[in-house]
Amino acid sequence: MFALPLGDGAELRPLEPWQAEEFLAHIDRARADVDPWIPWASRSTDLDSARATLQRYADMQAAGTGRIVGIWLDGTLVGGTMLFAVNAEFGNGEIGVWLEPAGQGRGLITRACRAMLDWAFRARGLSRVEWQTRPDNVRSLAVAARLGMTREGVLRESYPYRGKRHDSEVWSVLAHEWPPA
């Protein structure tokens, strides 16, 4: 099995449909913190929907358009990172993350993103990876800055969430900029 140590008792591992029960328990713990930022958190509410979320990423991985990996801390799933919207022809993709409170404040997201970006650029051959987040998600903005990404602008009212339209701040990093100095 593949596992990438992140240090401090944490590791990055594939997150697959057969792990739906563990994933659901994790999302139940994380939902209040994750739901405003990650759309599938509010859709993964029972075993079938959790399995469907993981199956969507398994299908993306099979098609070469995405991947999801989990972050385990001392043997417990506490978060993860995903690469999605991969367009091999253009060499672009988008990275996203989530983390439950038990894993926060340890630098796990930054370390996991570095591993995912290394893979995206070095193994997958992408030229550009985006990071999109709401302007009020200050933790997400801080991670993008720590990763050496460049803020490109704001997509005004680009998506609906709970009956309200929200802005999306766009950051990116290019292959020739990775890793940051």
Side-chain angles (χ1 to χ4, degrees):
M1 171 177 47
F2 155 75
L4 179 66
L6 294 175
D8 303 320
E11 61 184 8
L12 203 57
R13 292 188 271 177
L15 191 50
E16 300 173 340
W18 63 269
Q19 297 163 300
E21 191 171 329
E22 183 178 15
F23 178 68
L24 178 61
H26 156 63
I27 291 301
D28 285 345
R29 293 188 305 270
R31 194 174 321 282
D33 289 276
V34 173
D35 183 59
W37 321 115
I38 303 290
W40 48 252
S42 62
R43 294 190 304 263
S44 301
T45 57
D46 59 25
L47 196 53
D48 287 340
S49 58
R51 188 175 291 110
T53 295
L54 295 178
Q55 187 62 53
R56 275 193 303 280
Y57 280 94
D59 293 345
M60 281 189 248
Q61 184 171 338
T65 59
R67 166 170 276 176
I68 190 169
V69 292
I71 300 169
W72 275 261
L73 179 61
D74 299 323
T76 300
L77 179 62
V78 296
T81 181
M82 62 266 188
L83 185 69
F84 56 99
V86 173
N87 181 319
E89 181 181 357
F90 294 133
N92 299 330
E94 184 177 340
I95 191 171
V97 298
W98 77 97
L99 192 66
E100 70 179 69
Q104 293 175 1
R106 301 168 183 254
L108 297 176
I109 289 294
T110 303
R111 286 182 267 167
C113 285
R114 285 187 181 128
M116 181 65 88
L117 289 167
D118 280 342
W119 177 81
F121 291 129
R122 295 191 173 121
R124 191 66 179 85
L126 296 185
S127 298
R128 169 190 169 82
V129 176
E130 287 186 1
W131 181 282
Q132 292 193 27
T133 189
R134 283 184 8 200
D136 59 336
N137 190 342
V138 294
R139 286 181 157 201
S140 184
L141 296 172
V143 173
R146 277 195 301 276
L147 292 170
M149 293 185 157
T150 299
R151 182 181 183 270
E152 295 183 337
V154 175
L155 302 174
R156 299 177 312 143
E157 295 186 10
S158 64
Y159 70 96
Y161 174 73
R162 298 191 188 252
K164 181 181 175 195
R165 296 209 54 92
H166 292 273
D167 293 349
S168 185
E169 197 162 307
V170 180
W171 293 63
S172 73
V173 62
L174 305 176
H176 66 81
E177 299 170 335
W178 188 257

